[in-house]
């Protein structure tokens, strides 16, 4: 099954009986976390938390599926941002994305190198608020937050 074009991705499954699908990534917006040509597994209907990588319908072009990082809740929906600081086509351009357009959470990259992108809730809390939060690279690698730049 083929779904709509997604900011660098095409949904291969999903919308059927199983809550999972595979999406092909295209474009530079999620670099360095995801690169063009990567394939990721999405869990449709999964609970979204800040820091999660999500799949959603573009609010201005609902035939376009997009993968971005959930930065947090805002009035009207989720504030979704690119990981690539040079790409500004995200909530800074089109605002908060309504809940009904957020389709699911990206769990893992399966190609070319498998990588888990959705840590458990307990690990997310430890990485976000606990002593592990100081480990900026670890938190970023697990998709909880962006790398912390050293202060000057």
């Amino acid at each position: 099954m083929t779904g709509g074009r997604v900011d660098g991705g095409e949904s291969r499954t999903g919308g059927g009986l199983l809550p999972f699908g595979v999406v092909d990534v295209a474009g530079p917006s999620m670099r360095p976390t995801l690169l063009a040509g990567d394939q990721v597994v999405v869990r449709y209907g999964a609970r979204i938390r800040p820091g999660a990588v999500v799949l959603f319908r573009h609010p201005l072009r609902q035939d376009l599926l997009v993968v971005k990082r959930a930065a947090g809740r805002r009035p009207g929906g989720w504030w979704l941002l690119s990981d690539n600081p040079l790409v500004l086509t995200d909530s800074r351009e089109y605002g908060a994305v309504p809940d009904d357009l957020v389709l699911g959470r990206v769990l893992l990259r399966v190609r070319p190198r498998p990588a888990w992108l959705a840590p458990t809730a307990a690990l997310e809390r430890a990485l976000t608020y606990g002593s592990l939060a100081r480990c900026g690279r670890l938190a970023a690698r697990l998709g909880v937050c962006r790398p912390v730049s050293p202060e000057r």
Side-chain angles (χ1 to χ4, degrees):
M1 294 178 237
T2 303
R5 188 80 179 149
V6 191
D7 175 23
E10 185 175 308
S11 179
R12 294 182 183 263
T13 58
L17 296 177
L18 296 177
F20 298 98
V22 176
V23 173
D24 295 326
V25 176
S29 71
M30 288 303 292
R31 290 190 118 164
T33 307
L34 297 170
L35 306 176
D38 286 357
Q39 285 187 333
V40 296
V41 173
V42 175
R43 179 162 187 215
Y44 294 98
R47 181 173 176 219
I48 306 301
R49 297 184 192 101
V53 178
V54 300
L55 176 70
F56 64 99
R57 292 191 182 282
H58 193 288
L60 305 176
R61 288 187 47 207
Q62 294 185 14
D63 60 324
L64 179 67
L65 298 176
V66 185
V67 174
K68 300 286 184 193
R69 186 169 306 278
R73 297 282 302 157
R74 297 280 172 92
W78 282 98
W79 196 257
L80 304 175
L81 298 174
S82 303
D83 278 2
N84 185 340
L86 301 176
V87 176
L88 301 176
T89 53
D90 53 25
S91 285
R92 291 170 288 187
E93 178 181 292
Y94 43 76
V97 176
D99 291 334
D100 60 333
L101 296 181
V102 179
L103 303 176
R105 184 172 181 172
V106 175
L107 299 179
L108 62 119
R109 179 180 57 226
V110 290
R111 281 188 1 159
R113 294 178 331 275
W116 189 252
L117 297 173
T120 64
L123 182 55
E124 276 187 14
R125 281 192 300 277
L127 288 167
T128 305
Y129 306 110
S131 60
L132 292 176
R134 292 183 217 119
C135 247
R137 287 186 184 182
L138 176 60
R141 185 175 179 104
L142 292 172
V144 174
C145 65
R146 295 182 191 198
V148 177
S149 57
E151 297 196 21
R152 297 182 178 198

